[in-house]
Amino acid sequence: MTHPRIAFIGAGNMALSLIGGLIAQGVPGERIRASDPGAEQRAKASALGAQAVEDNAAALADADVVVLAVKPQVIKGVCQTLKASLKPGQLVISIAAGISCASLENWLGEIALVRCMPNTPALLRQGVSGLYANARVSAEQRQQAEQLLSAVGLALWLDEESLIDAVTAVSGSGPAYFFLLIEAMIAAGEQLGLPRETATRLTEQTALGAARMAIESDVDAAELRRRVTSPAGTTEAAIKTFQAGGFEALVAKALEAAARRSAELAEQLGR
Ligand SMILES: NC(=O)c1ccc[n+]([C@@H]2O[C@H](COP(=O)([O-])OP(=O)(O)OC[C@H]3O[C@@H](n4cnc5c(N)ncnc54)[C@H](OP(=O)(O)O)[C@@H]3O)[C@@H](O)[C@H]2O)c1
């Protein structure tokens, strides 16, 4: 199998995770190039087996796939300098949060473009990404994009770009919601008399176990919850308290706020 040549523009946290994942999947290091102004970041990319360069244009010279992995705040300038070096047939994949396809096409011209929203567990190859392809992306390029994001977790296609705001609200910001619940459960466990270390380990392992059950079981989360909630039991006492406090409505309101903010940021960053 011939692997596409991949050029990463920016060799920060996310690019290095993707490079590590691709190498682990068996993509040869000579097919991966990474450019970054920082010598330390280039050394990290080299240590993973990729070819590290300082010049962005040199990175994408003969690439099949160009991954824009710089911060949203600098992406406009990076695109403006890359535009002259891009060749027809190259696929551009942007992982920059809040940068729309319209903005990228405005800065780069008529390109085959995949916009995606990964999340931080990608650093442990346990991420999930929402992907949107513009109309110029071929079936082969879709496969290339999916294979690339699959190197750090699950990759799910979206039919409409506007759904990226919902993905941001659910999985992009999602790890922080679980961290908040973990924090609150540890504090509550301590109030009930557990040593902090014990409350922490009980909570973290419970989160991992529940997530694995939800993923691996053939029934949905609601059914799993019903199965561990006996009438008049301890779990029911807690769940009733959550629901009396408006838990589901609060979660819906929080995710709506995140999606709204994602759309607002895209509007500001795209100017
Ligand atoms: N981390 C996440 O969990 C996550 C989740 C979803 C989306 N994303 C998106 O992924 C992108 C990268 O995030 P990150 O966390 O990996 O950021 P990061 O660690 O800051 O990586 C960006 C890298 O790009 C380098 N850079 C800056 N200007 C450049 C230029 N002109 N040409 C080439 N490289 C340049 C930076 O160098 P300097 O530090 O020297 O400026 C840095 O090493 C962002 O757009 C972010 O929105 C990240």
Side-chain angles (χ1 to χ4, degrees):
M1 171 184 173
T2 324
H3 295 282
R5 288 186 206 81
I6 305 170
F8 286 88
I9 307 301
N13 291 319
M14 200 43 98
L16 292 172
S17 300
L18 285 162
I19 293 168
L22 290 167
I23 300 270
Q25 277 185 346
V27 176
E30 67 263 22
R31 309 295 284 182
I32 306 171
R33 220 175 265 165
S35 68
D36 198 286
E40 205 180 313
Q41 294 310 115
R42 291 200 300 277
K44 287 182 188 167
S46 298
L48 289 170
Q51 322 287 307
V53 294
E54 201 173 343
D55 177 32
N56 289 342
L60 59 80
D62 54 359
D64 301 301
V65 178
V66 178
V67 184
L68 301 176
V70 293
K71 288 276 188 218
Q73 292 74 9
V74 301
I75 202 164
K76 182 177 180 180
V78 167
C79 287
Q80 285 167 339
T81 56
L82 283 183
K83 185 175 183 196
S85 312
L86 273 179
K87 294 187 191 70
Q90 286 180 319
L91 167 67
V92 176
I93 300 180
S94 168
I95 62 166
I99 305 292
S100 69
C101 287
S103 301
L104 291 161
E105 288 165 9
N106 196 11
W107 303 326
L108 291 171
E110 294 187 350
I111 47 160
L113 176 65
V114 169
R115 177 182 171 197
C116 42
M117 182 63 206
N119 66 357
T120 27
L123 305 177
L124 305 176
R125 291 180 210 154
Q126 292 294 330
V128 61
S129 313
L131 280 71
Y132 172 79
N134 78 0
R136 291 182 205 93
V137 175
S138 68
E140 189 192 5
Q141 289 174 325
R142 272 176 87 94
Q143 240 183 355
Q144 290 171 341
E146 188 174 322
Q147 198 191 4
L148 190 128
L149 271 304
S150 300
V152 290
L154 207 61
L156 304 171
W157 286 102
L158 305 168
D159 291 333
E160 288 170 43
E161 186 183 356
S162 61
L163 292 174
I164 291 264
D165 293 327
V167 170
T168 305
V170 174
S171 56
S173 303
Y177 316 154
F178 287 101
F179 298 147
L180 181 65
L181 182 62
I182 287 172
E183 285 171 64
M185 283 178 61
I186 293 170
E190 266 190 294
Q191 278 171 26
L192 290 170
L194 289 167
R196 184 166 181 80
E197 169 70 10
T198 308
T200 303
R201 294 181 67 190
L202 288 168
T203 304
E204 289 171 353
Q205 187 60 31
T206 301
L208 178 66
R212 284 199 59 181
M213 281 183 78
I215 290 171
E216 291 171 25
S217 164
D218 49 11
V219 295
D220 64 12
E223 175 57 21
L224 287 173
R225 176 168 58 80
R226 272 192 290 275
R227 287 183 189 175
V228 292
T229 312
S230 17
T234 57
T235 311
E236 189 184 76
I239 300 278
K240 276 190 168 163
T241 308
F242 275 132
Q243 289 177 332
F247 184 74
E248 283 96 339
L250 185 63
V251 171
K253 217 168 133 183
L255 269 68
E256 269 170 37
R260 203 169 41 246
R261 187 67 190 132
S262 170
E264 280 168 14
L265 286 173
E267 161 66 22
Q268 287 168 19
L269 290 165
R271 282 183 205 138

